[in-house]
Amino acid sequence: MGVSSQSQLWWNKYPSSTKYNPQLAAIVNQAEKPLVITHGGNNITGKILSVSYLLKPQVQLLLAVKPEQVKIPDGFSDVFLYRATEALHFELEKVQKYKITPIYKPGDVWLWRVEK
């Protein structure tokens, strides 16, 4: 019983929406002082919370309820975009002129790198 309690992924924890969490966390955890941005709605909030349990304490999360109000603060070594909505992606890339590069895409893109 002790071994199964340590599983990072369980069949009853919506494997289709969490199966890549260990890989995503490993990528983010490599950064010295990372920021992860995601949309704070449309069922994404629960997904980022499930990833957060695998992230190191230095990882900061930014939940964007209104994409047009997102401001990326200075001081982060790496900025990531997690399962972004089209509106959030558009705001950062087209309006705020960030370069957004997919870095983890096992089919659909789950994680992007955001750079000025």
Side-chain angles (χ1 to χ4, degrees):
M1 271 171 69
V3 174
S4 66
S5 69
Q6 299 303 311
S7 176
Q8 291 182 340
L9 182 66
W10 281 56
W11 65 270
N12 62 348
K13 290 184 180 178
Y14 303 100
S16 64
S17 64
T18 61
K19 64 184 171 186
Y20 301 117
N21 286 357
Q23 295 92 326
L24 295 171
I27 292 168
V28 173
N29 285 336
Q30 290 176 15
E32 184 178 325
K33 189 175 179 193
L35 173 66
V36 178
I37 303 169
T38 192
H39 190 262
N42 295 343
N43 200 28
I44 297 293
T45 304
K47 292 174 181 156
I48 192 65
L49 286 175
S50 71
V51 173
S52 72
Y53 288 101
L54 302 172
L55 297 174
K56 291 182 178 178
Q58 73 268 19
V59 178
Q60 298 290 309
L61 302 176
L62 192 155
L63 298 178
V65 177
K66 295 182 179 180
E68 67 277 2
Q69 294 179 349
V70 172
K71 300 291 181 246
I72 299 176
D74 293 330
F76 291 96
S77 63
D78 297 84
V79 178
F80 299 97
L81 194 54
Y82 171 77
R83 298 191 74 179
T85 60
E86 287 183 31
L88 181 56
H89 197 277
F90 179 85
E91 173 64 28
L92 292 175
E93 187 173 50
K94 302 298 184 194
V95 176
Q96 296 188 30
K97 305 298 183 197
Y98 283 95
K99 179 182 176 188
I100 299 178
T101 309
I103 58 172
Y104 190 77
K105 50 181 182 176
D108 293 333
V109 180
W110 284 51
L111 192 67
W112 290 265
R113 182 175 304 280
V114 179
E115 300 171 300
K116 258 299 186 195

